[in-house]
Amino acid sequence: MPKIIIDGKDFEVEENLSIIQACEVSGVEIPRFCYHEKLSVAGNCRMCLVDIEDSRGMSPKPVASCAMQVSDGLKIHTKTQRVKKAREGVMEFLLINHPLDCPICDQGGECDLQDQSVAYGVGGSRYEQNKRSVENKDMGPFIKTEMNRCIHCTRCVRFSTEVSGSDEIGAIGRGRDMEITTYLDIAVKSELSGNVIDLCPVGALTSKPYAFSARPWELKQTESIDVMDAVGSNIRIDTKGNKVMRVLPRNNDEINEEWISDKTRFFWDGLSLQRIDKPYLRTDGKLKQISWSKALDVASDKLLSTKPEKIASIIGDLASIESIYSLKELMDSIKSPNTECRQDGSKISGGRERWLFNSKLSGIDYSDGCLLIGTNPRIEAALINSRIIRKSKENNYSIGLLGNKVDLNYNYNFLGDDPAIIYDLISGTNPFSKNLSKMDNPLMIIGQGALKGDKGEDYLNLCIELAHKYNFLKDEWNGFNVLHTAASRPGAMEIGFLPGEKGKNLDQIIKSYKTGDISTLFLLGADEIDISEKNDCFVIYQGHHGDKGANIADLILPSPSFNEQNGLYINTEGRVQESIRATFPVGEAKEDWEIISLISKKMGLENNFTSFEELRSSLFLHYPHLADIDLCLSGEQLPKKIDVKDIKQHIFSNSLNNFWLSNSITRSSKLMCERNNISKKLDQVID
């Protein structure tokens, strides 16, 4: 490890670090604008200038610390008069054309330029000519542009190319005429576009929905997790009073790094729209408001008067483990076996090793090839897709797709959409088999779209056989991965919210619901199933938005959204995470566990909980590992001998067809609806 000297102090750092990285790990701050550790080095701003000294003496001029690696014996000077003068010169140059409109800038209080001008600003400018004026660009409903503030750091350009893979943002012109823009002068199409707002160091790109609504120091910050997909991105929810104002990413290199998807960043306006805030009962074909006492009486009477085998319950995509556990306890108490969490109709079951992302999300970075089966990660998990984008730029990184042909923002080998092609891969007759045989650490990512239908579990077994055929499963590597799309599902699978003995799965519940064999159906936030046709079935819907489930419900019980109650989740890689309450429930809404406990009490059952702490204690008693936040669960070794059945009648169907309108919250969001409409128009323009 190289030994270096920074400002007269000795340090030992890792090899291949740049000077700016070495200073950062050593606790020495270097100002920067264009440099970002997750992006390539551009060396545009020159704010990170330092003096260096080696055996040949002092450098003739300050050097850009972001673009030079450390070497053994290197002396780095960050506080010399020459360095100070150089940085002040750079700052004066950057401010020549800047409008200096800090009082009205949404970046105020969080602006790198503002902060660094305090340290390196000279208090005036020698430039007396007119400032440059640049026309603002239209980058869609999310990104507000003030291009006069732009300093051409090109962070947004590099992010667009290297992380989102969209190549939508670039630079035109040269010198003082250079402008950052979209190439076709249309809205940015990427599902990760909002991250350029965080990357911009000067307020040229800010959040359009958040514009002029609040200042950072007015906001309460709550660290939580995202439930818009199963990635479990670490987020920060900023609130003003009881209103969510914005959602920002928190750094976690194991999960989302520093990024979040646009759906995660901008869904927040849907939290206050189309909310269910009071109990309702359908009377004479119309929903009428009732009291909580009446609602609980109706729910308990219905469950008590119905035979257990004619009661079914389905979990929605956003439910916490505590909510699921409380409903499971209720269903177990009345001996109803018809419990289902696989709202998309997939047939996954068994040990964790069969339904987790076993390589972990960070494991993508260590893979040397990838096989996608029945999935569109760009829509189902945009942040996972961004990791694959980064790997796709490496030489000899081969990607194959078996399933529906889609645009993933990177090149891949399309193997076809016939599920039976997997037999050719197993036998080695498919051309892509040669690619698989050359991989030391290959990834297999199986989407829920490959696991639907009666043959879904059989197809999963075939994928396991394929994994054993090549190097997907080794002592030091597990590349067998199932990608979930619902935040609630891994947690529900973990505690066993699946059909019991002689219990009905989703397809059977829906069929029985329509024929009348299921006479009472309990929906816990379930809004993604086709149950518009019914016989005499009584539907109890417990949720927070007036969506598909509420539309067909006979009894509606209002509950909080995920940001209005504490709860545990397990993400697609098996990591235990905690969502923290940022705001309070609206209207008369009660927490999910409380509603179910009150129903249990009305029914005279013993397993009702009087507090959230009591519920968690019971949960941790049965599943003690859930108390360890950030624990990444793992399964057993996948068996080599598996009963593989014929899957000739199996078909692929996409698990998620619309990125922007994937759940009840996003469908209530004006921003998501607007962005969805723009996507349709952009598709027409590009086609």
Side-chain angles (χ1 to χ4, degrees), residues 499-558:
E501 187 178 355
K502 297 182 180 180
K504 294 179 171 64
N505 61 29
L506 182 77
D507 297 337
Q508 294 164 338
I509 290 174
I510 293 176
K511 184 179 179 180
S512 300
Y513 164 86
K514 294 178 179 179
T515 60
D517 291 335
I518 293 292
S519 52
T520 299
L521 179 62
F522 197 115
L523 302 178
L524 183 57
D527 293 292
E528 312 305 322
I529 52 179
D530 180 19
I531 51 175
S532 56
E533 299 178 13
K534 68 173 182 175
N535 196 350
D536 294 325
C537 182
F538 188 87
V539 179
I540 303 171
Y541 177 79
Q542 182 174 315
H544 38 78
H545 280 77
D547 203 71
K548 298 177 183 178
N551 289 339
I552 54 94
D554 297 288
L555 176 65
I556 297 177
L557 307 174

Side-chain angles (χ1 to χ4, degrees), residues 317-328:
D317 291 352
L318 309 179
S320 68
I321 293 177
E322 290 91 345
S323 305
I324 301 168
Y325 178 73
S326 58
L327 184 56
K328 183 177 185 297

